[in-house]
Amino acid sequence: MKRYEDLAPSLRCIMTPGPVEVDPRVLRAMSFPVLGQFDPEFTDIMNETMEMLRQLFNTRNKWAYPVNGTSRSGIEAVMVSLIAPGDRVLIPVFGRFGHLLHEIAERCGAEVFTVETSWGSVFAPQEVISAIEKFKPDVVAVVHGETSTGRVQPLAEIGQACRRHDALLIVDAVATIGGVPVETDAWMLDAVVGGTQKCLSVPSGMAPVTYNDRAEAKLLKRKQIERGLRAADVRRSELPVVRSNYLDLGMLQDYWGPQRLNHHTEMTSMLYALREGLRLVLEEGLEARHARHILHEQALVAGLAAMGLQLYGDPDCKLTVVTCVIIPEGVDGESVQSMLLGRFGIEIASSFGPLKGQIWRIGTMGFSCRGNNVLRLLGALEAVLLRHGYDLPCGLGVQAALDVYEAKVR
């Protein structure tokens, strides 16, 4: 019989756009004893998590809870629950994950309309507003932070337009929540999806969502109690029922609400992790946390510029937590990534589609967003590029980043 060794994953410096390094306090929380999902101690933890999620999302919404599954499960839960077959859906596309929203909307049976702009840029709000006026959608779905291109889409004016035209606005904030301001109520966002494995520094496996009364009103029109839990006098839904059982927000809110109507077995240890991650975010303070992400981005960008490397994309819409670097001509990008990982234990990412092999993507997110990580990466990248025959000034990258940090102290 084959003998399997003890599990001993290597320690890594993870500087990708997700997943990122998990805060040790979150890992500790995951080791705590498992409670039953209806134990009063556990339901208290559920309620506390909802309270903290409202603060994270900057909302007074009643509903703010995690969907069990990766970030995509949250996106799909919101879309499959709020997009009924035949609905008109508008999706502005400026990178890979806009195309994902398009695909999911089609699978929901929607009539999908898209507007596209070149990768590396975002939409002027009026471009999206004009499309809303033209297509008259029931739902608009948009990515806030597009990690494939490192860009962030302004949303406030789009939210106002959706409200004027009675369209629900669904926002993918997986990459931004906890690292970049997300103003659910102020921007009039009807449903927002976050992720755990990026700026929250919690393992992948939960997708926090929030939605307002406008969104819930549509959910209630599609609501159906699971067959094995129904009373004899249950009413039928007004609109076609949600095609997924597991990702039906109408059922999930009954589980997270006072009824505690059984839906699935809650992921106990992951909820501990999310609660601790949220506690740490709120302990640091959202404004301080956003400022920390900006500081380390500035240090990273200064170091890359001092090394003579060029950034990709429109700087006016750069996503704070993802920096995209153009791979220098004649340099094997994959070989550089491999050497960074093999020799220095540092992971950065490539990109997708038309950008595959054209850029590196460096994440400064959550617990990974630390000065020692930025300095380590800059020093290692310089060494690896020199090994790959790229001529660059030695030592200037780290010194430029140090200048940013020292200026902050002064």
Side-chain angles (χ1 to χ4, degrees), residues 129-407:
I129 294 169
S130 295
I132 293 171
E133 293 168 347
K134 176 181 178 181
F135 296 115
K136 298 178 174 54
D138 302 293
V139 176
V140 177
V142 63
V143 176
H144 184 214
E146 178 59 78
T147 54
S148 68
T149 63
R151 304 301 109 184
V152 62
Q153 173 66 51
L155 295 174
E157 293 176 61
I158 296 172
Q160 293 171 6
C162 286
R163 198 62 58 92
R164 286 196 305 271
H165 293 275
D166 197 27
L168 290 177
L169 177 55
I170 297 172
V171 173
D172 169 357
V174 169
T176 51
I177 198 74
V180 175
V182 176
E183 301 287 344
T184 300
D185 290 356
W187 296 346
M188 299 185 182
L189 314 180
D190 295 299
V192 186
V193 184
T196 55
Q197 79 279 14
K198 297 180 185 285
C199 297
L200 297 185
S201 291
V202 173
S204 177
M206 278 193 162
V209 302
T210 187
Y211 49 90
N212 60 19
D213 292 343
R214 278 164 43 90
E216 186 187 13
K218 188 167 187 178
L219 291 179
L220 294 179
K221 291 179 180 179
R222 306 187 71 190
K223 188 174 177 61
Q224 177 172 285
I225 305 297
E226 190 175 312
R227 188 177 299 276
L229 302 175
R230 291 180 200 164
D233 58 348
V234 67
R235 66 181 181 84
R236 298 191 64 81
S237 59
E238 297 175 37
L239 295 175
V241 297
V242 175
R243 297 297 178 90
S244 172
N245 175 292
Y246 187 72
L247 300 176
D248 185 339
L249 294 182
M251 290 184 179
L252 287 171
Q253 71 178 34
D254 283 346
Y255 177 58
W256 279 86
Q259 291 185 68
R260 302 293 178 198
L261 193 62
N262 185 248
H263 180 262
H264 64 278
T265 303
E266 185 57 27
M267 296 170 63
T268 310
S269 298
M270 272 301 302
L271 189 64
Y272 296 164
L274 177 58
R275 182 196 178 279
E276 181 66 3
L278 293 171
R279 187 190 70 80
L280 295 171
V281 169
L282 298 179
E283 181 179 79
E284 182 177 2
L286 285 173
E287 288 188 12
R289 194 174 182 89
H290 299 154
R292 172 167 64 84
H293 282 84
I294 291 171
L295 172 64
H296 295 302
E297 175 209 31
Q298 290 173 340
L300 174 63
V301 168
L304 294 169
M307 293 166 64
L309 296 171
Q310 289 185 300
L311 300 189
Y312 166 82
D314 181 351
D316 290 337
C317 56
K318 183 185 178 302
L319 177 58
T320 304
V321 296
V322 180
T323 298
C324 297
V325 184
I326 297 172
I327 299 172
E329 188 174 351
V331 172
D332 184 333
E334 290 188 6
S335 178
V336 168
Q337 289 176 243
S338 179
M339 190 172 183
L340 278 173
L341 187 62
R343 294 293 188 185
F344 294 91
I346 300 171
E347 184 180 5
I348 64 173
S350 181
S351 192
F352 315 101
L355 294 179
K356 184 174 176 57
Q358 304 299 309
I359 64 171
W360 294 307
R361 296 179 302 138
I362 302 172
T364 43
M365 292 178 160
F367 187 69
S368 287
C369 183
R370 308 193 304 275
N372 59 340
N373 273 7
V374 171
L375 296 171
R376 178 179 172 184
L377 169 63
L378 289 170
L381 183 58
E382 175 188 291
V384 171
L385 285 172
L386 288 169
R387 285 279 175 175
H388 281 73
Y390 181 69
D391 186 24
L392 75 164
C394 294
L396 295 188
V398 171
Q399 293 302 317
L402 285 170
D403 287 343
V404 172
Y405 291 132
E406 290 174 7

